[in-house]
Structures are given as structure tokens and as C-alpha cells.
Amino acid sequence: QVRLVESGGGLVQAGGSLRLSCAASGRIFSINVMGWYRQAPGKQRELVATITSGFLTNYGDSVKGRFTISRDNAKNTVYLQMNSLKPNDTAVYYCNADVVNTDFSDSHYWGQGTQVTVSS
């Protein structure tokens, strides 16, 4: 099994910054795509950003130019630097990963989520 553990959420004022981290551990051979999604109350989960093992990135339209995703392949960790935060960025942020397990099977995992609250 693989576990994803997120950290770095919290309360911040509008215009501020936060950095989220997500570390994967367990029976990992390699990780292909890692990413962040978010879900606000009453809304569907939406893409924030993804990054491949080769560091190709993709962003949701609402965060382009403000958020930056990065990863450390040696640590199986993905980061999300969030700048110029807005109240409508308030949501639970979830990490996910497409993992090649040590038995060479493919699995998709989610973290437990971390709350980000932006006050106006």
C-alpha cells in the first residue's frame, strides 16, 4: 500500500501565501503524475495542478500565474506554492499520485486532504 500525507494548510489573509507538501510512502517503484485538487463546500472537486515525473506541469485556469507546483522525485514529494491567495481559493486541498507499485501494478492514490482558508 501507498500513503500520501499532506501538510501546510491553514488560515491566511487574502493576498498571502501558503506552501503545501505531500509526501508519498510505501511500496513505491516510481510515481508518474502527482497533483493537487481542491473541493470547496457545495462544489465539485477541481484540478489545481499536476506535474509529471519529467516535470511537465498543468494548471487549472483559476490558479495560473499564482500557484506553482513542483516535486522532488528522490523524496516522492510534491509541493504547491500558493501566492496571491483569494477567498475563493478556500477549500480542502487533496494530493494525488499515479504510482507504479513495487509489484509493477499501477494504482491511483489520494491523500486525506488539508484545509486552506483565505480570509478577506
Side-chain angles (χ1 to χ4, degrees):
Q1 284 291 345
V2 172
R3 186 182 181 204
L4 302 182
V5 178
E6 298 124 332
S7 60
L11 173 65
V12 64
Q13 288 189 330
S17 298
L18 282 174
R19 188 186 192 218
L20 306 182
S21 300
C22 172
S25 61
R27 300 187 177 208
I28 299 170
F29 177 76
S30 64
I31 303 178
N32 295 322
V33 181
M34 301 187 81
W36 292 95
Y37 290 73
R38 67 186 183 187
Q39 187 166 19
K43 295 187 177 182
Q44 290 187 331
R45 191 171 295 190
E46 65 174 356
L47 167 72
V48 177
T50 61
I51 185 167
T52 69
S53 58
F55 307 107
L56 295 176
T57 59
N58 180 49
Y59 294 92
D61 288 341
S62 62
V63 306
K64 286 180 181 177
R66 299 187 298 122
F67 292 9
T68 302
I69 191 170
S70 61
R71 66 188 280 175
D72 184 331
N73 287 335
K75 296 180 178 180
N76 290 329
T77 299
V78 64
Y79 307 95
L80 185 69
Q81 178 66 42
M82 304 184 293
N83 298 328
S84 303
L85 283 160
K86 304 175 182 180
N88 60 7
D89 291 318
T90 295
V92 178
Y93 284 69
Y94 296 92
C95 170
N96 82 348
D98 290 325
V99 175
V100 178
N101 301 293
T102 51
D103 64 359
F104 301 107
S105 62
D106 297 323
S107 300
H108 189 79
Y109 297 95
W110 289 93
Q112 81 284 359
T114 185
Q115 177 70 47
V116 171
T117 303
V118 184
S119 63
S120 57

